[in-house]
Amino acid sequence: MPKLAERQAPEAGVSPETDYFLWTQGQAALIRAGRWAALDREALAEEIADLGGSQKSEIRSRLTVLLHHLLKWEFQPQQRKYGWRATIVEQRVSLDDVVTMSPSLRAWPAEVLAKAYRLARVRAADETSLPERSFPPDCPYTLSQILDERFYPGPDEPDVV
């Protein structure tokens, strides 16, 4: 079987809008073959720029999930579950991974903390059936606490089910 770079580029008419996967594979094949003039430069540049945006979005999303679970952990200590702890750990590790891969985004969590908290607060109220006013209107945790693997808010850990 020929390597991707040796395969022919996909047929004309394939665009990111018609078949995104096929288009990406064709663009990769053209790059590997050094066929620079045949590249869909505008769409390719747009896709590369969007990759950075997706990392920002991932950071905001993971921060929201992390805050959501920290709120549940603090405000429903008698209902704590190992799954909550696992989610907290997973989000912290994944946030660290994204920032390690893209150190220029190290300040981004602080920039989106207020927005992430607003959404986390709504989600926590919905999931716990506690009134939204039960949770502080502004994030009660510092970014250092949020990302600290030893930090779990609220009373000392009761038995986790």
Side-chain angles (χ1 to χ4, degrees):
M1 177 166 221
K3 291 182 183 173
L4 187 57
E6 297 167 352
R7 296 181 195 160
Q8 283 191 311
E11 63 278 354
V14 173
S15 69
E17 294 81 23
T18 59
D19 188 328
Y20 184 75
F21 178 77
L22 185 59
W23 176 81
T24 61
Q25 299 310 294
Q27 294 301 297
L30 291 170
I31 290 169
R32 288 185 183 100
R35 296 184 50 207
W36 310 111
L39 289 172
D40 184 352
R41 290 189 302 271
E42 280 302 312
L44 195 54
E46 189 174 315
E47 290 303 314
I48 290 170
D50 285 349
L51 289 174
S54 69
Q55 284 193 313
K56 283 181 156 184
S57 180
E58 181 178 354
I59 288 171
R60 186 179 58 244
S61 176
R62 290 189 178 281
L63 187 57
T64 300
V65 172
L66 175 54
L67 288 165
H68 169 203
H69 281 77
L70 289 174
L71 286 170
K72 290 192 315 182
W73 189 269
E74 179 173 4
F75 289 88
Q76 285 199 318
Q78 300 307 320
Q79 297 187 22
R80 291 177 182 164
K81 298 174 175 45
Y82 282 112
W84 294 1
R85 181 185 290 277
T87 298
I88 290 168
V89 170
E90 176 185 1
Q91 299 310 312
R92 285 174 170 158
V93 168
S94 295
L95 278 165
D96 184 60
D97 287 347
V98 174
V99 172
T100 298
M101 284 178 26
S102 298
S104 63
L105 293 177
R106 190 163 304 283
W108 186 244
E111 292 180 40
V112 296
L113 180 59
K115 284 184 180 181
Y117 179 74
R118 279 198 313 263
L119 182 54
R121 183 176 180 241
V122 169
R123 286 181 180 170
D126 179 57
E127 194 170 312
T128 62
S129 297
L130 294 171
E132 195 173 323
R133 67 181 177 276
S134 300
F135 303 98
D138 297 313
C139 186
Y141 322 120
T142 67
L143 191 56
S144 295
Q145 289 173 318
I146 294 165
L147 300 175
D148 183 346
E149 65 186 40
R150 297 168 309 226
F151 175 73
Y152 288 86
D156 287 340
E157 183 177 331
D159 289 337
V160 177
V161 292

